[in-house]
Amino acid sequence: MRFASVLLAVAVAVLAGAPGGEAAAGSLNCRVEPAQFQLGQPLHWDVRGVDLPQGLPALRQEDFGSDWLLHAQSSSQSRDGKGRLAESSRITLYPMRSGVLRLPPLAVGDLRCPGQSVAIALHPPGEEGLFIRTRIEPPQPMVGQPVRIELDVGGPGGMIWSPVTMSAANATLREISTLDTSARVDGAAIAVQRHTWAVLPLTAGRLDVRFGHLRGTRFGQLMIYPGPDLVVPVRPMPAYWPDTLAVGPARWRAFAPPRHMQVGQTGVLRARLHIPAMGRQALEGFFASIPVARGLKMYAPRVQMIEDGSSALDQTWQVDWPFRAVAGGTVAYPALRMPYLDPELQAPRLATASWGALRVSDPRWMRMAIGVAGGALLLGALFGLRSALVHWRLARARRQWMSLAIQGHPQGLADAWAQARAAKPARLAGTTLRAWLRERAQCGLPVDPRHLDLVTQVERRRYGPRAGDG
């Protein structure tokens, strides 16, 4: 029994060392496709392992350096009928330059794939390659002066480009436009896509501008090219110039304001400012410092940046400045005088605009004048009414006075005299009838001879035939 056990162990050891046992050992294989490579096209690196002592590693961008862009990787596992574990990984890479590039070696335990060299051509024979052209205007800007940077990108026919990104330290960026145009290369026109940015340098010295990867699709296949890098030399700003003021030309457009108003009414002054670069707070501070005429009360302006769709580097600000008229007369609107620095001359200049003047009427004086005129008219009317009443009363008294003479009734004249003495006893108490008659003549009541006959008759009745001499 012991001999049989030993013999069985020897047989198992022999079988383990047989060729079939070698096939069961772990393996690691790496290969690339396609066989020919061009810049912009994807390269697939396939890694396959069987019965590995540990799983295939997940690779990172740092494993490939700057020559390759790690775009994607996928992995899978399977077992065959003999129970062997097979693992595979496909890594998609894009070359970032032409020439001979090297893939890194790969190790899984004691199993290794040596590093591989891959030749990358600029473009297939007989086909257009990548076209890149950049433009910087101005080429040497000043701190605070906007720079226009253009990137023209062209490639083989059928290419549809994706948006391009750009980054720069110590600068602010604003994408202006992207348009399809053309460029001439060796006398021939090629289609290009032009991307444009406004870049505002914040510090003097070297400004590094980096573009993102240039991505596009051609016949459904993703193409990725390396983006260019630019260096922009930036000049310092003059020491005397405040960093809150603009560098570069500014321009005002003042819209027509109200020309006639009344005291107490409100209005709005509107203007549009085209300026290379200015913050909202700086613009609001500029308006707060503008002198204002005493006849106007200005309120805080409303400022808003607007997009006018142009490809200019300037910012466009819409300004609405509300006000109220507080005094009558001709009032001058505030004048706009925006200082800016001419970067070429390195000298300050002014962008000016004027709304002109406002004619303000004061309705209080008009109402006062109307009130005075109305009072005068009322007084005149009252005076005229009084005069008419006096004339009417005098005319009625004349009629009544003459009716006494016409009717010839002595008693009527005596009664009128008695009423007069009763109305004014202090003045007429000792007055005779004939004296009263003369007083009536002085008051505008003419004395008719018939009045004298009536007086004589009254005297005869009261005093006898000889009393008429009084």
Side-chain angles (χ1 to χ4, degrees):
M1 292 294 294
R2 179 175 297 180
F3 176 76
S5 298
V6 173
L7 183 61
L8 179 60
V10 172
V12 171
V14 170
L15 289 175
E22 293 178 359
S27 62
L28 181 65
N29 296 306
C30 301
R31 67 185 183 90
V32 295
E33 64 175 24
Q36 296 180 346
F37 305 101
Q38 286 81 36
L39 189 65
Q41 294 181 348
L43 179 145
H44 300 293
W45 189 24
D46 293 322
V47 180
R48 178 178 172 81
V50 178
D51 287 338
L52 298 175
Q54 60 192 52
L56 291 175
L59 300 178
R60 300 174 301 174
Q61 177 63 54
E62 293 80 3
D63 299 323
F64 298 95
S66 60
D67 286 344
W68 299 96
L69 171 65
L70 175 59
H71 179 68
Q73 59 180 321
S74 60
S75 60
S76 62
Q77 294 181 345
S78 63
R79 288 188 180 273
D80 60 12
K82 297 180 180 180
R84 292 180 298 180
L85 177 63
E87 298 180 65
S88 62
S89 178
R90 166 161 280 202
I91 303 164
T92 303
L93 302 168
Y94 283 86
M96 291 291 98
R97 64 178 179 87
S98 60
V100 178
L101 307 185
R102 188 168 180 80
L103 293 174
L106 185 63
V108 181
D110 294 334
L111 302 175
R112 295 180 179 276
C113 281
Q116 294 177 268
S117 296
V118 183
I120 307 297
L122 280 174
H123 55 84
E127 191 174 273
E128 293 181 0
L130 178 67
F131 172 80
I132 296 178
R133 184 168 62 188
T134 58
R135 181 172 178 266
I136 305 172
E137 182 61 37
Q140 294 183 339
M142 181 181 292
V143 173
Q145 180 184 6
V147 184
R148 183 186 187 91
I149 296 182
E150 295 179 353
L151 172 66
D152 290 348
V153 180
M159 181 71 74
I160 301 176
W161 294 103
S162 300
V164 180
T165 61
M166 187 178 71
S167 62
N170 299 321
T172 60
L173 310 178
R174 178 170 59 93
E175 186 174 1
I176 296 179
S177 63
T178 299
L179 57 91
D180 295 325
T181 182
S182 62
R184 301 195 69 82
V185 179
D186 298 331
I190 63 171
V192 299
Q193 190 174 78
R194 177 168 296 167
H195 305 267
T196 308
W197 293 266
V199 180
L200 186 68
L202 302 178
T203 58
R206 174 190 174 105
L207 176 62
D208 293 314
V209 178
R210 293 182 172 84
F211 296 93
H213 297 117
L214 308 178
R215 300 172 182 262
T217 56
R218 186 188 186 203
F219 308 129
Q221 183 185 48
L222 176 63
M223 309 283 285
I224 302 179
Y225 296 91
D229 293 336
L230 296 178
V231 175
V232 182
V234 181
R235 295 178 293 154
M237 186 185 299
Y240 66 84
W241 191 251
D243 56 6
T244 57
L245 298 182
V247 178
R251 177 170 56 89
W252 286 104
R253 179 188 175 191
F255 295 91
R259 295 301 179 192
H260 300 279
M261 296 179 67
Q262 293 184 355
V263 172
Q265 287 186 327
T266 59
V268 176
L269 297 177
R270 289 186 171 88
R272 187 166 292 180
L273 173 63
H274 302 274
I275 195 167
M278 174 168 278
R280 181 185 300 275
Q281 292 183 350
L283 187 57
E284 291 174 347
F286 165 76
F287 276 92
S289 66
I290 297 178
V292 179
R294 296 181 59 184
L296 298 177
K297 179 177 178 56
M298 308 302 298
Y299 299 95
R302 299 185 295 269
V303 296
Q304 180 183 6
M305 185 181 294
I306 62 175
E307 297 291 340
D308 55 7
S310 68
S311 60
L313 300 183
D314 294 348
Q315 297 175 352
T316 302
W317 290 95
Q318 177 73 32
V319 181
D320 293 333
W321 201 5
F323 69 93
R324 183 165 62 91
V326 296
T330 300
V331 183
Y333 282 123
L336 298 174
R337 297 168 61 85
M338 170 69 72
Y340 67 89
L341 181 67
D342 188 327
E344 301 303 325
L345 301 177
Q346 297 194 24
R349 302 188 67 178
L350 282 177
T352 61
S354 175
W355 284 290
L358 169 67
R359 181 64 183 174
V360 182
S361 59
D362 193 343
R364 296 173 299 180
W365 293 104
M366 185 177 297
R367 287 193 293 267
M368 184 179 297
I370 293 175
V372 171
L377 290 175
L378 179 60
L379 290 176
L382 292 176
F383 181 78
L385 181 62
R386 180 179 179 279
S387 299
L389 181 62
V390 170
H391 283 83
W392 177 77
R393 287 178 178 177
L394 181 60
R396 186 182 66 174
R398 286 178 178 177
R399 289 194 301 270
Q400 293 175 351
W401 177 250
M402 292 304 299
S403 67
L404 291 175
I406 294 172
Q407 293 175 2
H409 295 293
Q411 188 58 41
L413 180 63
D415 293 340
W417 183 33
Q419 291 177 0
R421 286 186 299 174
K424 300 178 180 180
R427 188 166 62 86
L428 299 178
T431 304
T432 63
L433 182 59
R434 290 185 179 275
W436 177 68
L437 201 66
R438 290 192 296 270
E439 182 182 346
R440 297 288 286 178
Q442 294 175 357
C443 293
L445 298 178
V447 177
D448 191 89
R450 288 172 290 186
H451 288 111
L452 297 176
D453 292 341
L454 291 177
V455 171
T456 301
Q457 295 179 27
V458 171
E459 290 176 342
R460 287 177 179 174
R461 289 181 182 180
R462 290 187 175 187
Y463 310 115
R466 297 174 60 103
D469 299 337

